Amino acid sequence: ITSPWFSTAFGLIGLCSNLFALCVLLSSSRKLSSRTRSSFLVFLCGLVVTDFMGLLVTASVIIPYHFIKFTWAKVDPSCHLCNFLGFSMIFFGQCPLLLGATMAGERFFGINHPFSRSTSISKRRAWSIVGLVWGFSCLLGLLPKNTLQYPGSWCFLTLLPDTGNVVFCLLFALLGIFSVLLSFIFNTVSVVTLCRVYHNRESVQRRRDSEVEMMVQLVGIMIIATICWMPLLV
């Protein structure tokens, strides 16, 4: 019913916003000397790259469909394109939730247990963790069978009352819900800890401005993920 230019415009806005955010993150990471802050920026950079690629890959298939209205049976008789799009939907859908939970967990231990680690997470280790999240999401996306979904513009995991399909649907939904809930718990405890630190006169000398900034970003990510994903996952 709506014009395909709406999805095209929103897709371009999303891509440009992510590119701008990536440039800002790369510029900030070069100027920082704090390992704690730089490792957080690595996770944030991984999240931005994931979101950018998710928009780019899915939009490159879905938007042309709305303009051309091609027939999937003719364009993709072997279902390779449909399986690739379904894989992308699962991969780029689960990755941001897992990365958000990982970032929240890293800040939780950094704020509440600052002396449990001899050193902060290095950039290399942070990128390794991001790579593990990408690898796990990739493996998850390769497991299910994907089918064409209404109104025929996209593919996703098969939503049929078959045992294998039901098990994977539950796995996908519960993993996403668990990631969001874990982020909520970690972020809530971290925010409470920071509030106590700022109201404790004996800890005035502890510089927590950067940690507060990181927590604000995490809470923003968590709120967006909750609003956009939780209704669909439930």
Side-chain angles (χ1 to χ4, degrees):
I1 299 175
T2 58
S3 170
W5 288 106
F6 282 103
S7 56
T8 303
F10 285 124
L12 289 175
I13 291 173
L15 290 173
C16 293
S17 299
N18 279 315
L19 281 177
F20 176 75
L22 188 61
C23 292
V24 172
L25 289 173
L26 292 176
S27 176
S28 299
S29 63
R30 293 171 183 172
K31 298 177 182 179
L32 288 175
S33 58
S34 172
R35 295 185 65 182
T36 301
R37 179 67 174 168
S38 62
S39 63
F40 180 82
L41 287 180
V42 168
F43 289 119
L44 202 56
C45 183
L47 185 63
V48 172
V49 170
T50 301
D51 192 59
F52 174 82
M53 292 303 300
L55 282 171
L56 183 64
V57 171
T58 55
S60 63
V61 178
I62 295 174
I63 291 178
Y65 168 83
H66 286 293
F67 279 103
I68 304 173
K69 297 291 183 180
F70 58 82
T71 303
W72 282 84
K74 295 181 179 179
V75 175
D76 186 34
S78 57
C79 294
H80 292 316
L81 181 61
C82 184
N83 287 326
F84 172 73
L85 183 58
F87 163 81
S88 301
M89 296 292 290
I90 295 170
F91 176 83
F92 293 112
Q94 200 67 244
C95 252
L97 302 179
L98 294 174
L99 285 173
T102 303
M103 294 165 65
E106 192 273 337
R107 282 293 78 220
F108 169 81
F109 288 105
I111 293 173
N112 294 276
H113 304 283
F115 301 108
S116 63
R117 301 175 298 177
S118 57
T119 56
S120 301
I121 296 178
S122 63
K123 283 187 177 181
R124 180 176 297 180
R125 183 173 296 180
W127 276 118
S128 299
I129 295 174
V130 173
L132 287 175
V133 173
W134 284 343
F136 177 78
S137 300
C138 181
L139 180 63
L140 194 68
L142 293 173
L143 292 178
K145 296 180 180 178
N146 299 289
T147 54
L148 193 63
Q149 306 291 330
Y150 178 83
S153 60
W154 61 296
C155 295
F156 196 53
L157 54 92
T158 306
L159 303 174
L160 292 176
D162 177 75
T163 303
N165 295 325
V166 170
V167 168
F168 188 83
C169 288
L170 286 174
L171 175 64
F172 179 85
L174 292 176
L175 184 61
I177 292 173
F178 176 75
S179 299
V180 174
L181 292 178
L182 198 63
S183 299
F184 177 80
I185 295 172
F186 282 151
N187 290 334
T188 301
V189 175
S190 298
V191 168
V192 171
T193 302
L194 287 177
C195 290
R196 289 178 178 176
V197 167
Y198 268 103
H199 288 86
N200 187 357
R201 293 184 178 180
E202 296 179 358
S203 302
V204 171
Q205 296 180 353
R206 300 178 66 182
R207 302 291 297 179
R208 293 286 180 146
D209 292 340
S210 62
E211 292 182 344
V212 171
E213 182 184 348
M214 287 186 279
M215 286 310 307
V216 170
Q217 293 170 340
L218 275 179
V219 170
I221 293 170
M222 180 189 66
I223 292 174
I224 293 172
T226 303
I227 294 174
C228 295
W229 271 105
M230 283 298 281
L232 297 175
L233 293 172
V234 172

